[in-house]
Amino acid sequence: MKLSIVAAVMAACSTVLSSPVYEKFRHGPLNVTTNGTTVWNRSNHSNVSGGAAGAIGTKLKVFITGGSVPLSNTSQFPNVEWQTLFNASSALNITQLYNVASSVNQTLQDDTFSGVVIVANKPSIEALGFFSAVVFDTNKTVVVTEDPASGIPVAKDFGSQFRGALTVDKKSGLIYSGVFAPAERGAAGVPVGLLHETQVNWFMEPSLPLLIDTTSPIRVTYSNFTTTNVSNNSPVVPIIFDGNFSQSIVNRLAGSINGLVVAVPDFVSNSSTSTLSSTQLPVVFAGVSSGIPFVAGDDVPSDAIAAGYLSPIKSQVLVSIAAANNVSSPASVDQLFP
Ligand SMILES: *[C@@H]1O[C@H](CO)[C@@H](O)[C@H](O)[C@H]1NC(C)=O
Ligand SMILES: *[C@@H]1O[C@H](CO)[C@@H](O)[C@H](O)[C@H]1NC(C)=O
Ligand SMILES: *[C@@H]1O[C@H](CO)[C@@H](O)[C@H](O)[C@H]1NC(C)=O
Ligand SMILES: *[C@@H]1O[C@H](CO)[C@@H](O)[C@H](O)[C@H]1NC(C)=O
Ligand SMILES: *[C@@H]1O[C@H](CO)[C@@H](O)[C@H](O)[C@H]1NC(C)=O
Ligand SMILES: *[C@@H]1O[C@H](CO)[C@@H](O)[C@H](O)[C@H]1NC(C)=O
Ligand SMILES: *[C@@H]1O[C@H](CO)[C@@H](O)[C@H](O)[C@H]1NC(C)=O
Ligand SMILES: *[C@@H]1O[C@H](CO)[C@@H](O)[C@H](O)[C@H]1NC(C)=O
Ligand SMILES: *[C@@H]1O[C@H](CO)[C@@H](O)[C@H](O)[C@H]1NC(C)=O
Ligand SMILES: *[C@@H]1O[C@H](CO)[C@@H](O)[C@H](O)[C@H]1NC(C)=O
Ligand SMILES: *[C@@H]1O[C@H](CO)[C@@H](O)[C@H](O)[C@H]1NC(C)=O
Ligand SMILES: *[C@@H]1O[C@H](CO)[C@@H](O)[C@H](O)[C@H]1NC(C)=O
């Protein structure tokens, strides 16, 4: 087919796709209620700019934690408020993630906002996306991105509701659940949509990943993981590479760290040489892969935890959230993993 014909066919498809997104999804509209009264739903503002400036439910808030943001031209985004938390140049640590969470939580409680966009530097996207997916139990929109110009159009599209926190890749426009955002170094993720210029094409109905859906252990047994004012906001959970550490070092560290993530190469199997484990400390084996990693329970030493499809960084964030909420026994932490 000639390229011009391909382009014409694609243009025709995008016309079909441009009907309001809530008419296509089986899911009902997001109803935000305060004291039992519906304050807004999708019927009276089909997109975020649909209401009068300042009207209830029409605003977005963008939090800046890093990245290079042309703050000089924010005026091109109406009904968007901006708040700079800090300007980190390297990956955010767990203390900083919790600082972000307190501010974001306050905004999510405020019904004048339909959602938030969190802008972070590139090395923080995976951790912040996963952290946001676990900590923010909301049907409102939460978008994590390097670039506000990618995050805002996704957040303004009400198809971003009911999905938990999302990340948007600046370069490809691919939109991922925070649970399945690509691990570092160009690894694969599980996309749910694609941003093309300012138009969002959703690939599937809004839904939550099973890891954080309403029946998951994280939401049922450990519902306190949504706490942003945690008892210890600086847990220590190092990531080490398989083979670099001996069991005696792990035993000696047990009193001073809250958990350990052992990064193992792709296609780990019983033949893995590592035998690190602990009965006192969660020791999680997580795969490093350019695809989607997978480490199964029978691939790891007894007393150790298999991360399933979670990468080392996501495992580190999950063990840190658990530790921050005083959940530290290996058996409890094991329940959190897929
Ligand atoms: C929102 O409220 C409408 C009308 O009461 C209802 O039909 C719809 O199912 C509700 N949506 C959700 C997601 O609960
Ligand atoms: C909701 O109810 C509480 C307690 O009755 C009251 O203080 C608060 O102002 C109400 N909020 C709204 C938005 O009406
Ligand atoms: C949407 O409708 C509700 C209920 O009728 C109303 O209270 C609210 O102000 C409306 N929101 C906008 C943005 O018009
Ligand atoms: C939106 O809320 C209003 C006020 O409660 C309600 O009358 C209307 O049916 C709702 N629309 C939808 C689509 O649920
Ligand atoms: C958003 O809604 C307003 C009012 O309903 C409408 O004028 C505008 O074209 C809509 N914008 C988009 C991008 O759909
Ligand atoms: C953060 O700092 C970098 C380097 O100093 C700068 O280029 C960038 O514009 C800053 N970002 C914000 C949001 O202030
Ligand atoms: C906003 O800033 C970006 C980057 O500096 C620039 O490319 C763009 O043209 C600016 N847009 C407006 C409307 O000034
Ligand atoms: C999200 O919406 C669903 C209905 O679709 C509801 O059952 C659930 O409680 C809501 N979650 C939150 C955190 O409000
Ligand atoms: C979120 O903020 C609200 C209002 O500031 C507060 O009442 C609530 O406890 C906070 N929730 C969490 C989970 O920290
Ligand atoms: C955080 O939680 C602790 C214990 O539950 C409480 O004493 C403290 O006042 C809370 N801090 C804030 C800022 O809410
Ligand atoms: C997190 O980073 C901040 C800013 O760089 C630093 O002050 C703090 O000590 C770090 N916290 C931990 C637990 O590493
Ligand atoms: C959070 O909930 C878990 C499970 O119920 C519990 O073991 C833990 O102590 C709680 N954390 C805090 C800080 O209360």
Side-chain angles (χ1 to χ4, degrees):
M1 215 189 297
K2 276 168 85 176
L3 193 58
S4 59
I5 300 176
V6 175
V9 170
M10 291 181 74
C13 290
S14 71
T15 310
V16 173
L17 285 169
S18 65
S19 64
V21 73
Y22 58 88
E23 291 175 7
K24 292 200 296 275
F25 293 142
R26 275 196 304 275
H27 219 299
L30 176 61
N31 301 319
V32 171
T33 54
T34 302
N35 294 347
T37 308
T38 302
V39 290
W40 60 270
N41 59 27
R42 288 185 215 169
S43 66
N44 59 0
H45 57 286
S46 61
N47 60 55
V48 174
S49 53
I56 207 155
T58 60
K59 289 189 297 178
L60 274 181
K61 189 148 181 179
V62 179
F63 291 95
I64 310 290
T65 72
S68 53
V69 187
L71 286 176
S72 55
N73 64 18
T74 56
S75 58
Q76 63 181 294
F77 302 110
N79 279 352
V80 174
E81 288 183 11
W82 301 74
Q83 184 176 345
T84 301
L85 298 176
F86 34 78
N87 185 7
S89 52
S90 54
L92 299 178
N93 63 33
I94 188 74
T95 313
Q96 291 169 311
L97 294 179
Y98 270 114
N99 288 342
V100 175
S102 313
S103 303
V104 169
N105 174 47
Q106 280 171 27
T107 299
L108 290 173
Q109 308 292 318
D110 180 342
D111 288 333
T112 63
F113 293 97
S114 69
V116 301
V117 174
I118 315 172
V119 179
N121 59 42
K122 193 179 172 81
S124 303
I125 301 293
E126 184 194 6
L128 185 57
F130 184 80
F131 176 89
S132 299
V134 173
V135 172
F136 305 129
D137 181 13
T138 180
N139 286 326
K140 288 190 180 182
T141 297
V142 177
V143 173
V144 174
T145 177
E146 264 180 88
D147 170 25
S150 308
I152 291 171
V154 175
K156 283 194 169 191
D157 188 306
F158 279 8
S160 60
Q161 295 168 345
F162 297 103
R163 294 180 191 267
L166 300 170
T167 71
V168 185
D169 182 65
K170 180 182 171 190
K171 203 167 148 208
S172 63
L174 285 167
I175 304 163
Y176 301 91
S177 161
V179 171
F180 294 105
E184 286 179 313
R185 292 185 283 149
V190 183
V192 297
L194 175 67
L195 174 71
H196 176 68
E197 289 167 2
T198 57
Q199 191 187 330
V200 183
N201 297 280
W202 297 106
F203 297 161
M204 45 200 119
E205 292 270 347
S207 64
L208 290 171
L210 287 175
L211 189 77
I212 54 165
D213 89 341
T214 53
T215 61
S216 63
I218 288 179
R219 290 289 177 250
V220 177
T221 311
Y222 299 100
S223 57
N224 56 5
F225 283 12
T226 58
T227 309
T228 52
N229 168 18
V230 292
S231 50
N232 165 17
N233 77 354
S234 48
V236 181
V237 182
I239 298 177
I240 64 171
F241 284 86
D242 194 14
N244 283 4
F245 273 72
S246 70
Q247 183 68 42
S248 65
I249 293 178
V250 173
N251 295 347
R252 248 180 292 145
L253 281 175
S256 51
I257 62 176
N258 298 91
L260 191 64
V261 174
V262 184
V264 294
D266 215 355
F267 305 118
V268 68
S269 69
N270 289 336
S271 64
S272 168
T273 50
S274 186
T275 54
L276 298 182
S277 67
S278 171
T279 52
Q280 284 130 52
L281 191 69
V283 176
V284 180
F285 281 68
V288 178
S289 169
S290 57
I292 310 281
F294 197 84
V295 177
D298 55 8
D299 294 333
V300 305
S302 58
D303 296 332
I305 297 164
Y309 52 74
L310 296 183
S311 69
I313 297 268
K314 296 185 184 81
S315 302
Q316 180 186 45
V317 170
L318 190 50
V319 175
S320 300
I321 292 171
N325 289 285
N326 279 341
V327 174
S328 55
S329 79
S332 307
V333 172
D334 198 8
Q335 287 189 298
L336 306 171
F337 280 84

